[in-house]
Amino acid sequence: MVNNTKPYVIGIDMGGTNTVFGIVDARGVVLTSDSIKTRKHANITDYIDELYTETMRLVKAIDAEDKIYGIGVGAPNANYFTGMIEDGVNLPWPTPVPFAQLLSEKFGIPVAITNDANAAAIGEMTYGVARGLKDFIMITLGTGVGSGIVINGQLVYGHDGFAGELGHVIVKRNNGRLCGCGRAGCLPGQGGGGHWQRGQGGIPGGAGALLENRQNPYAGSVRVAECRRGSVGGAVGDGAKRLTCREEARICPI
C-alpha cells in the first residue's frame, strides 16, 4: 500500500490508439501526465522502452524517483489474475503477452494490471461519479467498446477474469462491419471509435470519401482541417451528422 516514504503510484491507461500515463498520489490527484501513441511500435519491447523513458521523465521532473510504490495498468483484454494481455485485437503486437511481468522487470517495482474498463469502474467508484454507489455498470467508448460491472461494491471478474465484458458481443448479424477480431457485426466494429478512423461511420464511405468523392452528396459540407484531426463530426455538415448519429444510436443505445 502507498505509504509516507513512497506516496505515489504510476497510472497507465493503454488504449488502442493512445497510451496515457501519469503520477498519482493517495488522494487520486494526478500530479503530472503525458501520452504516447500505442501503435507507434510493432514490437512490445520497443513500446515498453518508450513508455519507460517518457514515464521516468515525468518522475524525475517532480523529484519522485524513490517515491513510487508501484504501477497500475488498465489495458484492453488484460487479465487481473494472470497479468497477461490476451486477444488484444486493437493492439499492434502479438498476444497473449505477459505485460505486467515485462513492465515490472523494466521499472523494478510491482505492477497490477486489469481490463481498462474494469480500471475505469474502480476509478469512478473510488474517486469519481460512482462514489457511494455499490451497483453500477461502467461503459467505455474508445477505439473499442468495453464494460466493467460492480455488484455490492465489488468488481465482477468471474472465474477467468473476463466476466461482464461486452467487448465482442454480436449486435448486427447480417451485413455487419468487420471487427478487428475478424468477425462481423461486433459491438466495437459497429460503434467503437476505431471504425470512425477507418472511415466506416454512418457517412457513406467515411470521412476520407467525403474529401475525395466529388459526387458524394455531403462533399460540399466537408471541413478539411477537421478531417485531418480525425474529427468526423466536425468535418461534415448537418445532413451527414444526422445520418451518422441515427446509425450509431440505433446500434449502440447506451
Side-chain angles (χ1 to χ4, degrees), residues 38-127:
T38 305
R39 293 180 172 274
K40 180 178 177 180
H41 303 290
N43 185 293
I44 184 66
T45 302
D46 294 336
Y47 168 81
I48 290 177
D49 285 345
E50 183 183 13
L51 182 59
Y52 174 82
T53 298
E54 294 303 311
T55 302
M56 290 308 297
R57 176 178 57 80
L58 297 186
V59 170
K60 293 174 182 177
I62 64 170
D63 192 26
E65 291 179 82
D66 298 317
K67 302 175 184 177
I68 305 295
Y69 180 81
I71 301 174
V73 183
N77 284 80
N79 191 317
Y80 173 74
F81 295 144
T82 66
M84 305 281 287
I85 295 178
E86 305 175 14
D87 296 323
V89 297
N90 291 319
L91 299 175
W93 333 287
T95 52
V97 58
F99 192 76
Q101 176 186 335
L102 294 175
L103 207 63
S104 181
E105 291 173 352
K106 184 68 176 181
F107 281 83
I109 53 179
V111 174
I113 191 170
T114 189
N115 176 275
D116 49 358
N118 288 343
I122 294 171
E124 293 296 343
M125 182 169 57
T126 307
Y127 300 111

Side-chain angles (χ1 to χ4, degrees), residues 202-204 210 215-222 235-241 243 246:
I203 305 160
L210 289 173
Q215 302 304 315
N216 191 300
Y218 303 115
S221 61
V222 174
V236 300
D238 290 341
K241 284 181 184 178
L243 174 63
R246 282 200 301 269

